[in-house]
Amino acid sequence: MTGVIEALHIYDEHNRAILSHTYTSRPLSATHLLPFYLDHPAPRPNLIYLPNTNPPTLVFSLIHANLLYLATSSAEIEPLLVIEFLHRIIDALEEFLGAPVLAHKIEANYDVVAQLLTEMCDAGTINTTEPNALRDLVEVEGLLGKLLGSINLPGKSPNSSSTPSLMAQNATALPWRRANVRHTSNELYADVVETLSVTLAPSGRPISAFANGTIAFTSKVSGVPDIVLNLTGPSGKHNLRSVMELPVFHPCVRLNRWRDNPGELSFIPPDGRFILAGYEVDLLPFTNGKSGNLGSNSLKLPVNLEVKTGLGSAGSDFEVRLNINKLFGSSISGASGRGGGPGGRGLGGPHPGSAAAPLLQDLIVSVPLPSEVRNLSDIRPSKGDASFNVGDRVLEWHIPSKELSTGASYFVLRCTVQGPLADDQEEADPNGFGFGKDYTYDEPYQVSTDDKPKKTEGSSEAEKDAKRTAQNKILMPSSASVSFSVKGWLSSGIKIESILIDPRKSRGIGENLKPYKGVKYLTVSKGGVEIRC
């Protein structure tokens, strides 16, 4: 694959081109490219092939903060390389312009954006993408510099602005860490975030359960520190390799050290915040490579969800039952916190949100309903607020944090569904004009009411009830999901044991350096815990 990135185009939320940067060749312009992209029905893939253009073009797309990023290439190229390059562009723009990246920020700082795109990709070949290295290469003028930029002050050298870039290019510094880092206060922070993806059977038995983890590290230490971060699992370090599946690391991590000693991350960090590592954990028990006894349900979740359908005399009611885990304050916090490692960001006893006292927040239950549901006539939550979005056919139940802090552990939401109108109009004629009936010339024009066949009232009502119950069964939800966040707890049980600076390998950090260290744990479910009905 010898292809290169030929151009990058950025569009705002109204599909207006706000930036186009050409690297090589003569690619399609932003105006001509957009209609080809929009011709594909949504949801559009990240890679689209356009065979009818001259030459045929590969279009790589990414949508972030309502901005559309399109990169083009007319030759075969590694797709993941280009997608990752688009992610790196967004990271660099957030680093230099501030998050989130908005259209007016790009337009107001086009000089900075043009420098970034030029340094990150040279003639279509991806070059420097590390934010720390870009800091040394890209000039960012302050407000005073922009005001005085056109004034020739005495003693000001016209080429002085290029000196830092030339020094940075000739320096032997690490590519991910800028040179001459200085901080008045030295700090090291680690944030471990896990995102849950759990599917439960109607009985509550887990079908699949995964946690995708990210270790974000913030380094604000002068000089060039050499850091060792030690991880441990639920049962110690010896099985950490089997717990953390598919680990990925920042280029600064020494992979040989990890292979020899799993759980030990040795690295020289970039300056500032960066993603140190990522991993995946299978939360279901395994025995000899096969699933263990799932009936025992050893999966620990902060909340248990249950949905009962077909309730009431007509089967038109359903209930969502939410149970907050009573052991949440003791066993789960003990399994995840196991101390705070280097300590939480605070002094004194355990406070809400720390490893010793996990805090459940942002609890939302979402229940998608079939398209046949016209409305919910009755919504009765025991706590919190519930609302039905008719357009999206989604029932949302919000339980505020103040309700959770009262100690209540059981919440119920009961609803009544309404189906389409005129369910039983086949036999009824409310207008009295006989519309919808078939008439033949063999029948008399007028029929007396005494000649009409009469049905038994009991059987008719029973048939209607059975029909109504069958129709309401179709209107019942088939699944429900719960979203939440838990500060101070990780579903995998992984924790950071220590963060140490190696003084022998570090350079320019000063003697007896004792930086402030902090660790935070966060588990997030964005509709990731789903139960089938």
Side-chain angles (χ1 to χ4, degrees):
M1 296 185 183
T2 58
V4 295
I5 301 174
E6 296 178 354
L8 173 72
H9 308 287
I10 304 179
Y11 303 84
D12 62 8
E13 60 272 16
H14 304 295
N15 291 329
R16 179 178 62 91
I18 58 175
L19 182 140
S20 292
H21 192 92
T22 303
Y23 290 108
T24 184
S25 185
R26 298 182 64 183
L28 291 174
S29 65
T31 306
H32 291 94
L33 178 63
L34 185 62
F36 289 106
Y37 173 78
L38 296 178
D39 283 344
H40 284 257
R44 300 176 181 89
N46 293 109
L47 173 57
I48 296 176
Y49 178 60
L50 304 179
N52 298 325
T53 59
N54 188 18
T57 303
L58 294 170
V59 182
F60 301 86
S61 63
L62 189 64
I63 298 176
H64 182 80
N66 292 329
L67 296 184
L68 172 63
Y69 298 78
L70 296 182
T72 61
S73 176
S74 59
E76 190 174 359
I77 189 173
E78 183 64 42
L80 293 179
L81 179 67
V82 184
I83 297 298
E84 178 63 22
F85 175 68
L86 293 178
H87 281 284
R88 292 296 183 100
I89 287 179
I90 294 173
D91 293 340
L93 292 177
E94 289 181 343
E95 176 76 17
F96 281 81
L97 306 183
V101 180
L102 303 177
H104 71 86
K105 291 183 180 179
I106 295 177
E107 293 174 333
N109 299 275
Y110 180 75
D111 54 338
V112 176
V113 177
Q115 291 182 74
L116 282 173
L117 298 180
T118 303
E119 295 292 347
M120 295 181 72
C121 188
D122 185 12
T125 303
I126 298 174
N127 193 11
T128 304
T129 59
E130 288 293 333
N132 272 238
L134 292 172
R135 279 288 180 189
D136 290 335
L137 299 174
V138 176
E139 250 185 79
V140 181
E141 279 189 298
L143 180 60
L144 185 61
K146 289 183 178 180
L147 292 175
L148 303 179
S150 59
I151 303 177
N152 293 324
L153 299 178
K156 179 182 177 181
S157 174
N159 297 325
S160 60
S161 60
S162 62
T163 304
S165 298
L166 294 175
M167 290 176 61
Q169 292 176 0
N170 296 328
T172 58
L174 299 169
W176 56 81
R177 185 173 180 86
R178 60 190 181 92
N180 304 319
V181 177
R182 290 289 179 267
H183 291 282
T184 55
S185 61
N186 296 300
E187 301 169 338
L188 295 173
Y189 296 137
D191 297 282
V192 188
V193 182
E194 288 186 355
T195 303
L196 292 177
S197 179
V198 180
T199 303
L200 305 173
S203 62
R205 178 179 63 88
I207 300 174
S208 67
F210 293 92
N212 294 287
T214 300
I215 303 176
F217 199 85
T218 302
S219 171
K220 296 182 179 180
V221 178
S222 303
V224 184
D226 198 297
I227 298 175
V228 177
L229 185 146
N230 289 293
L231 297 173
T232 184
S235 56
K237 258 188 175 183
H238 65 279
N239 66 338
L240 189 61
R241 190 190 296 271
S242 61
V243 173
M244 295 180 62
E245 300 176 352
L246 306 175
V248 292
F249 302 102
H250 190 275
C252 67
V253 176
R254 299 181 178 98
L255 296 182
N256 291 333
R257 189 83 167 263
W258 172 267
R259 293 192 189 103
D260 297 338
N261 302 296
E264 191 172 294
L265 295 175
S266 176
F267 58 96
I268 296 177
D271 183 53
R273 183 178 174 88
F274 66 101
I275 302 300
L276 176 63
Y279 59 88
E280 182 180 89
V281 177
D282 191 347
L283 301 176
L284 295 183
F286 270 71
T287 306
N288 296 328
K290 295 182 179 180
S291 296
N293 183 14
L294 298 182
S296 61
N297 193 2
S298 60
L299 179 65
K300 301 296 183 183
L301 294 174
V303 297
N304 296 323
L305 193 63
E306 185 181 10
V307 180
K308 296 293 184 181
T309 60
L311 305 178
S313 58
S316 60
D317 290 7
F318 67 89
E319 265 189 5
V320 180
R321 301 168 185 175
L322 191 66
N323 187 25
I324 308 298
N325 200 327
K326 274 291 188 182
L327 302 177
F328 187 70
S330 55
S331 66
I332 293 185
S333 65
S336 66
R338 275 181 280 275
R345 299 180 192 174
L347 301 175
H351 56 87
S354 65
L359 180 62
L360 177 64
Q361 292 180 323
D362 306 325
L363 189 57
I364 302 174
V365 178
S366 299
V367 183
L369 294 171
S371 58
E372 292 82 6
V373 175
R374 180 167 51 90
N375 202 352
L376 296 181
S377 60
D378 196 7
I379 303 176
R380 303 183 297 277
S382 60
K383 297 288 184 181
D385 299 318
S387 60
F388 176 58
N389 189 325
V390 181
D392 296 334
R393 294 291 192 276
V394 175
L395 170 67
E396 285 197 347
W397 181 20
H398 296 255
I399 302 178
S401 300
K402 63 179 182 180
E403 299 290 351
L404 301 173
S405 61
T406 58
S409 60
Y410 188 72
F411 305 92
V412 179
L413 171 66
R414 190 176 181 110
C415 301
T416 303
V417 297
Q418 287 184 339
L421 290 171
D423 290 334
D424 55 352
Q425 282 187 353
E426 295 179 2
E427 299 179 4
D429 186 15
N431 296 324
F433 293 105
F435 292 148
K437 294 183 179 180
D438 293 330
Y439 290 97
T440 62
Y441 291 105
D442 297 334
E443 295 180 352
Y445 184 77
Q446 293 181 345
V447 180
S448 63
T449 57
D450 297 336
D451 298 335
K452 292 183 179 180
K454 297 182 179 179
K455 292 185 179 181
T456 307
E457 291 185 3
S459 61
S460 176
E461 289 297 327
E463 289 177 2
K464 288 183 179 180
D465 290 343
K467 183 179 179 181
R468 191 178 298 111
T469 303
Q471 289 177 341
N472 288 333
K473 187 177 181 180
I474 303 175
L475 305 177
M476 291 294 106
S478 59
S479 66
S481 62
V482 59
S483 303
F484 56 83
S485 64
V486 184
K487 294 181 179 179
W489 175 73
L490 293 181
S491 56
S492 65
I494 293 173
K495 72 164 187 175
I496 295 179
E497 200 171 42
S498 63
I499 302 176
L500 304 174
I501 294 181
D502 191 344
R504 295 174 301 174
K505 296 182 180 180
S506 302
R507 303 190 304 272
I509 62 173
E511 297 181 359
N512 301 322
L513 176 67
K514 293 183 179 180
Y516 179 77
K517 305 173 186 178
V519 176
K520 280 187 176 181
Y521 303 110
L522 177 66
T523 297
V524 178
S525 168
K526 297 180 179 179
V529 179
E530 180 181 356
I531 185 169
R532 306 287 171 81
C533 302

